[in-house]
Amino acid sequence: MTEIVYLIKLGELTLKGGNREGFERVLRRNLTAMLRAKAPGAGVTNQPGRFYIHRAEAAGPAVEEVLSRLVGITGWARARRGEKTPEAVLAACVEEGRRLRETGARSFKVEARRADKSFPLGSQEICRAAGDAVLAQVPGLEVNVREPAGIIAVEIREKAYVYTLEKKGRRGLPAGSAGRGLLLLSGGIDSPVAGCLMAGRGMGLDAAYFHTPPYTSPEALDKTVKLAEIIGSYSMGVRLHAVNFTAVQGRIRERAPAEWATVLLRMAMMDAASAIARRLRAKCLITGESLSQVASQTIENLTCGESRARLPVLRPLVGLDKEAITTLAKDFGTYETSILPHPDCCVLFSPPHPVLRGNPEEAGALYEALELGPPFPDGGNTGPGGLLQEALRGMETRKCGYYEYRQGEPGDEGPAP
Ligand code: ATP
Ligand code: MG
């Protein structure tokens, strides 16, 4: 009897010495929660360096969707798991050879690993016997050891595993293993990519979105929610905090020279985002800024924005050009949503001749003159409530792409953050 399982290779995790067990536990907890939502009934077991998903055959496409988004694995394959007899192994190789042929492949080779030395054939003998069996029974396939179109892999462990068509995993470190960051998320192409990249390094994410209704539309908010859901599919969920910045933007227009509008708006966002992040115990801010991509992102203007940040600002895209960022956006699946035509507040209010190299001292003086007030009444700030406080009081939070953890299940480390 063969069982169809999904075999998952862990890779980078297994290199991290003392941390390995902790990473594996987080990864298993993530996988279990994702499967419960997308492929109920499937279960996970593990061996050193490996996970297996059982009872997954009927839900194959859903399981494959989960695996294509699971951060922290090097590869995965749908595998046949069966008895450790030469007959069963050769039969499974022939089945896999047929699957390979159905994909259009014309050549193959067999790779075998025998961890259990009591199996009567050595690795080379398995390769030869399986190669012969496939050649004899699958018309249209021939052996090519140098450049095969597909590899049939055989592993003899506590059971025999046979698989082909191994897919690459997302690599990186499992979501939730590297603290929490607050992403400044607009509806553009860049910031969603920045979020996905940090999710790929194990960071848990919240997101802040500043909008200016009625100048920005409800569709612009919907679009940002959709983006947060996609980012959440890599980070085990995102809490999206929408902040109404209409009054703040109005104050900037009233009191500041037009060419400074974008820089001052970015400073106000950093100010507000720092306050939100501290409340959530996030340890950094994350933006989609890339050096000199637009006027507001010269090193001088980035410095002006950062002067209002009270946490480290991570900019994972800082050295990438638009083409590289677009390629990443397509790979993560955010691109199609990002290019929907609903402009955000920066686009709507950007001045025709923005300041290119803002002087931080001048920026600071102009910012003070806005009198936006301290962002929250706590944190030692006892001043009168101003526009920033009002904006944050009306902040609306929603969970996007969330997976629920359950207490007591394997790998469980308590409730989701
Ligand atoms: P993006 O494609 O991410 O919007 P962009 O190239 O359009 O980036 P800007 O609009 O100047 O560049 O924004 C730079 C960064 O500032 C964004 O990547 C994002 O992190 C943050 N940001 C901009 N607008 C907003 C907003 N409305 N709400 C939250 N963060 C924002
Ligand atoms: Mg933008």
Side-chain angles (χ1 to χ4, degrees):
M1 253 303 275
T2 33
E3 180 199 5
I4 299 292
V5 299
Y6 282 86
L7 173 159
I8 301 170
K9 301 186 178 178
L10 304 188
E12 182 173 14
L13 293 182
T14 60
L15 299 175
K16 298 281 171 183
N19 286 336
R20 200 196 72 203
E21 274 185 30
F23 283 129
E24 280 198 19
R25 204 169 46 242
V26 176
L27 181 62
R28 184 163 174 190
R29 179 194 65 174
N30 293 350
L31 176 59
T32 304
M34 290 166 93
L35 288 173
R36 184 172 41 249
K38 304 285 185 194
V44 184
T45 59
N46 62 320
Q47 299 268 322
R50 289 285 161 91
F51 287 171
Y52 298 102
I53 304 177
H54 302 269
R55 300 183 301 281
E57 194 175 4
V63 172
E64 294 184 14
E65 173 73 17
V66 163
L67 292 176
S68 73
R69 282 163 190 266
L70 180 66
V71 173
I73 63 176
T74 52
W76 55 274
R78 179 182 178 275
R80 285 167 207 277
R81 176 179 192 267
E83 294 309 318
K84 283 189 284 188
T85 62
E87 300 73 40
V89 168
L90 296 191
C93 288
V94 170
E95 287 304 317
E96 285 301 310
R98 291 207 175 98
R99 279 190 76 210
L100 196 59
R101 183 69 195 93
E102 279 164 16
T103 67
R106 297 194 163 275
S107 62
F108 76 104
K109 77 168 172 181
V110 181
E111 284 180 359
R113 286 223 335 250
R114 185 181 60 150
D116 174 0
K117 303 294 179 206
S118 70
F119 191 74
L121 303 180
S123 306
Q124 287 308 317
E125 290 168 309
I126 297 173
C127 291
R128 226 171 295 127
D132 289 345
V134 172
L135 276 179
Q137 294 182 54
V138 186
L141 270 188
E142 58 186 40
V143 174
N144 182 340
V145 287
R146 288 249 171 83
E147 282 183 35
I151 293 172
I152 299 175
V154 179
E155 293 180 11
I156 310 295
R157 299 171 161 241
E158 80 304 338
K159 288 273 188 180
Y161 294 89
V162 178
Y163 57 94
T164 178
L165 306 174
E166 182 179 337
K167 301 256 173 53
K168 280 209 161 76
R170 292 234 155 240
R171 299 180 170 268
L173 299 167
S177 62
R180 177 156 289 274
L182 179 69
L183 171 68
L184 280 80
L185 177 63
S186 74
I189 293 175
D190 305 330
S191 45
V193 172
C196 292
L197 285 173
M198 295 318 295
R201 296 314 295 167
M203 190 157 256
L205 294 175
D206 277 77
Y209 170 58
F210 299 94
H211 59 151
T212 51
Y215 305 104
T216 54
S217 62
E219 288 79 14
L221 175 60
D222 291 346
K223 171 181 167 181
T224 309
V225 169
K226 271 201 204 108
L227 289 168
E229 281 169 355
I230 301 172
I231 301 165
S233 70
Y234 299 105
S235 68
M236 302 302 293
V238 167
R239 275 178 307 199
L240 177 67
H241 311 279
V243 181
N244 184 326
F245 245 33
T246 310
V248 171
Q249 192 121 42
R251 177 69 61 84
I252 294 172
R253 292 230 295 191
E254 273 162 42
R255 296 208 185 166
E259 65 270 23
W260 277 91
T262 310
V263 172
L264 292 171
L265 179 63
R266 199 54 41 79
M267 289 167 78
M269 285 183 187
M270 289 285 184
D271 206 348
S274 300
I276 299 169
R278 285 189 161 185
R279 283 215 159 170
L280 299 168
R281 299 213 169 78
K283 299 192 177 86
C284 62
L285 304 179
I286 301 159
T287 75
E289 289 162 319
S290 150
L291 187 63
S292 299
Q293 188 191 81
V294 288
S296 59
Q297 295 173 27
T298 59
I299 185 62
E300 292 81 1
N301 287 352
L302 293 180
T303 306
C304 293
E306 186 151 337
S307 68
R308 293 290 138 172
R310 275 155 288 147
L311 287 170
V313 182
L314 304 188
R315 298 182 177 86
L317 310 183
V318 74
L320 299 184
D321 65 15
K322 200 76 189 184
E323 193 182 326
I325 297 170
T326 301
T327 303
L328 288 170
K330 288 180 179 164
D331 176 47
F332 286 123
T334 54
Y335 182 75
E336 295 302 324
T337 306
S338 286
I339 59 173
L340 295 174
H342 307 294
D344 80 10
C345 52
C346 303
V347 179
L348 289 174
F349 291 91
S350 58
H353 302 293
V355 170
L356 283 182
R357 302 190 188 291
N359 172 323
E361 274 166 29
E362 198 180 347
L366 289 168
Y367 190 77
E368 292 302 330
L370 297 175
E371 296 182 295
L372 298 176
F376 275 129
D378 57 7
N381 275 323
T382 50
L387 289 186
L388 276 189
Q389 239 183 70
E390 221 169 278
L392 290 173
R393 211 176 295 127
M395 180 168 99
E396 286 175 17
T397 297
R398 68 197 82 200
K399 288 180 169 183
C400 302
Y402 239 71
Y403 292 105
E404 300 294 341
Y405 298 128
R406 269 193 205 154
Q407 301 239 337
E409 69 190 1
D412 177 70
E413 292 191 330

